[in-house]
Amino acid sequence: GAVVSQHPSRVICKSGTSVKIECRSLDFQATTMFWYRQFPKQSLMLMATSNEGSKATYEQGVEKDKFLINHASLTLSTLTVTSAHPEDSSFYICSARETTGFLNQPQHFGDGTRLSIL
Amino acid sequence: AQSVTQLDSHVSVSEGTPVLLRCNYSSSYSPSLFWYVQHPNKGLQLLLKYTSAATLVKGINGFEAEFKKSETSFHLTKPSAHMSDAAEYFCVVSDPNFNKFYFGSGTKLNVKP
C-alpha cells in the first residue's frame, strides 16, 4: 500500500529555533500534500495544502511566514516552523494523495511529528 | 459546505462484543466518505472509503460501514471487538476533487477485557 514517511518523529528544541519537518511519499508520486496540526485530544486541523512546483495554499488564520512549506518534488514536502515558540508545540501530521488518473484516491498519512518547544 | 458530526466522543465495549461508531455528514455534493483510525502518537490509517459505489463498504480488520443517503449517515461497525481496536476513529468527508478533508471530532474507542 501507499506509504508516507514523516521525519523526525519527535523534536525538542529551544524557543527561537527553526524546525524542519519532512514528508515523503515512498512508493507513489504526490502532486498534492497536506499539513495538519493536532492539539491534544482534538481532531486534525488543516494548515495548508502543498502543491508540487507552486506556492502552498494556507488555511485562514495560519501564518505563512511562520509555517514555511516547500514542495520541490513529487515525493517530498517540507514544513519549517520558523522561530518556534512554546505555543507552536503540537503534533504535526502530513498526508499525501496519489497522482493518478483515477478519482477518489484517499489521503495517506505519515506517523506525525511531536514538536515540543521549551 | 461539508461537515462531519461524530455523535460520541467516547465509546466503551467489551472484547468480543459489537462496535458501533456513529457519523453523520453534511455535503453540498455527492460525498466521498472515509473512516481513519489513529493509535496514540501515530498518524492515521485508512480503514475504508465510500465513493459512490456499493453502499456497504468493507474495510480492513473486519470493519465495515454503510452509507445511508436518506439519513446522511456513515456509521462504522465491527461484529466483534478486539483489544487491538482500542484507538481514536475519525470520520471524514471530502469535496468532489479531494482537495480538502473535513474531519469529525473523533471517537475514542475503549475495549475492556
Side-chain angles (χ1 to χ4, degrees), chain B residues 9-77:
Chain B
S9 58
H10 289 81
V11 170
S12 185
V13 301
S14 297
E15 190 175 20
T17 64
V19 175
L20 170 65
L21 305 183
R22 298 183 293 167
C23 172
N24 286 93
Y25 70 91
S26 173
S27 177
S28 306
Y29 312 95
S30 294
S32 290
L33 294 156
F34 307 83
W35 275 99
Y36 284 85
V37 60
Q38 183 182 34
H39 289 91
N41 295 310
K42 290 289 187 180
L44 277 69
Q45 180 184 19
L46 178 67
L47 283 178
L48 49 81
K49 64 179 181 180
Y50 166 78
T51 53
S52 74
T55 56
L56 182 62
V57 181
K58 294 188 182 298
I60 63 171
N61 301 336
F63 285 95
E64 62 181 39
E66 186 171 8
F67 173 71
K68 293 186 177 180
K69 186 176 180 179
S70 61
E71 299 175 10
T72 61
S73 69
F74 190 57
H75 301 334
L76 181 70
T77 60

Side-chain angles (χ1 to χ4, degrees), chain A residues 27-94:
Chain A
D27 49 2
F28 65 98
Q29 293 186 332
T31 304
T32 304
M33 293 185 175
F34 304 86
W35 287 97
Y36 295 86
R37 185 172 179 175
Q38 186 178 29
F39 292 99
K41 300 183 180 181
Q42 294 189 27
S43 189
L44 279 70
M45 180 190 77
L46 179 65
M47 298 174 65
T49 302
S50 168
N51 298 296
E52 187 267 335
S54 64
K55 290 184 179 180
T57 303
Y58 290 82
E59 295 300 300
Q60 192 172 9
V62 178
E63 297 177 61
K64 300 178 183 180
D65 296 332
K66 177 74 170 176
F67 299 99
L68 300 179
I69 291 173
N70 182 276
H71 193 158
S73 77
L74 287 172
T75 59
L76 174 64
S77 176
T78 61
L79 168 69
T80 301
V81 183
T82 62
S83 186
H85 292 285
E87 59 266 27
D88 299 322
S89 298
S90 191
F91 193 55
Y92 293 86
I93 305 177
C94 73

